[in-house]
Amino acid sequence: MTDLWISFSVLGLVLLLSELTRRVAARIFPGDYQIYLLEAACTFQLCSCTHELKLLGESVQLEPHIGLTITYIVTLIHLATFRGASCNASGALESFCRGNSSFRSALVLIAFQFGAGVAAQHFVAVVWSLGLSDVHLRHQRFGFRCFDPLGGTVLEAAAVELACGFIIQAAVMHIHKLDERLKAHFIAAVITGLVFTGGSISGAIFNPVLAFSVQFPCSGHTYLEYCFVYWLGPISGVASCILLFEKIVPFLSGKCTIRLDVTAAKKQKTQ
């Protein structure tokens, strides 16, 4: 139980540092610089918290309902503090493809996200080296190494990441139909469900930046295999979701409508 509370304290420290950075950025830096620093602070928060929670989950035998409850609550905190930041390279690419941002802006944003992911790696290593808990001490003795994060084959893990990317994108695209008070809870519930369903196979990361920070340093597979699973998988899921709901479904709906209109016109002519 002591290890659990120490991990919660680490999460609280990360949240305070990230919130301080967000407030400083909002007051001092104008325009695009504020957006970049906001993304960096939020991505740092996401990656650092995930590092700590992953270590806790692998080292302490938590009951499934406790682990899922922690995931749900931490996700709610992220959603409440991110202030619109995506913390996801897929979001930056989507914004560019939709024409909402320039290629340069998207590239700089992604660079800040990956930089924050690397900063999170170094930050948690410093915290773990303090040996605040038995979990941290054991991890320190292993040289802060992590091992094979895949619970299935590379193709199975990539399929899980693709499915997770598709589902979370679909949830985001249709969330406007919900009451404002339910939106954060809905997204948190979806993410928690995905972690429960796909976590044992790929970790259910569905975020290229988060995966680069948390999963890529692990042994067990090559860099290209991790790119295939954690970059190509979720990006393909997001792209296929957008293609389905914004292109294919409207096209088929329009086609069906045309067919119905033609049928009705033929009936009127025969009458």
Side-chain angles (χ1 to χ4, degrees):
M1 186 60 71
T2 302
D3 291 337
L4 186 62
W5 286 111
I6 290 176
S7 290
F8 286 162
S9 299
V10 172
L11 298 184
L13 175 62
V14 170
L15 181 61
L16 287 175
L17 290 175
S18 302
E19 184 61 25
L20 178 62
T21 304
R22 284 188 287 264
R23 295 193 177 190
V24 170
R27 291 185 178 183
I28 298 178
F29 296 94
D32 290 342
Y33 294 104
Q34 180 179 331
I35 296 174
Y36 298 147
L37 287 175
L38 174 65
E39 281 286 346
C42 295
T43 304
F44 173 83
Q45 176 180 320
L46 175 65
C47 294
S48 297
C49 290
T50 304
H51 273 289
E52 182 65 26
L53 291 176
K54 180 187 176 186
L55 177 62
L56 182 67
E58 292 174 346
S59 305
V60 179
Q61 297 298 322
L62 297 174
E63 294 292 332
H65 68 278
I66 295 178
L68 292 175
T69 300
I70 293 174
T71 300
Y72 179 80
I73 293 174
V74 171
T75 302
L76 278 179
I77 294 173
H78 288 330
L79 293 172
T81 57
F82 278 0
R83 303 179 187 178
S86 67
C87 309
N88 193 327
S90 299
L93 291 174
E94 179 186 354
S95 179
F96 166 68
C97 292
R98 292 181 183 278
N100 296 329
S101 64
S102 65
F103 176 75
R104 177 184 175 278
S105 296
L107 192 63
V108 173
L109 194 66
I110 292 173
F112 269 80
Q113 290 173 344
F114 275 96
V118 174
Q121 290 176 341
H122 293 287
F123 172 79
V124 294
V126 170
V127 172
W128 293 337
S129 66
L130 298 176
L132 299 175
S133 68
D134 291 338
V135 170
H136 294 171
L137 286 172
R138 286 196 298 270
H139 196 44
Q140 186 178 9
R141 284 197 291 268
F142 282 102
F144 305 131
R145 289 180 298 172
C146 62
F147 304 97
D148 190 353
L150 304 186
T153 65
V154 171
L155 286 177
E156 289 172 342
V160 168
E161 290 296 307
L162 187 151
C164 289
F166 182 96
I167 292 170
I168 194 65
Q169 180 67 21
V172 170
M173 290 175 65
H174 294 87
I175 197 174
H176 63 277
K177 301 175 183 178
L178 294 177
D179 184 270
E180 191 67 32
R181 294 169 296 180
L182 300 177
K183 290 181 178 180
H185 292 279
F186 174 70
I187 294 297
V190 171
I191 291 175
T192 303
L194 292 176
V195 170
F196 174 74
T197 305
S200 60
I201 300 176
S202 68
I205 302 295
F206 49 91
N207 182 329
V209 176
L210 180 59
F212 180 79
S213 179
V214 176
Q215 305 289 60
F216 275 51
C218 299
S219 60
H221 294 276
T222 66
Y223 190 87
L224 287 178
E225 286 175 328
Y226 284 138
C227 288
F228 177 73
V229 172
Y230 293 113
W231 287 3
L232 185 60
I235 290 176
S236 298
V238 170
S240 60
C241 180
I242 295 173
L243 181 64
L244 175 65
F245 288 108
E246 295 192 1
K247 299 297 181 182
I248 297 177
V249 171
F251 174 76
L252 294 177
S253 299
K255 192 173 183 180
C256 291
T257 303
I258 292 173
R259 285 180 177 176
L260 290 174
D261 291 341
V262 170
T263 303
K266 287 182 178 179
K267 287 183 178 180
Q268 288 180 354
K269 287 182 179 179
T270 56
Q271 291 175 353

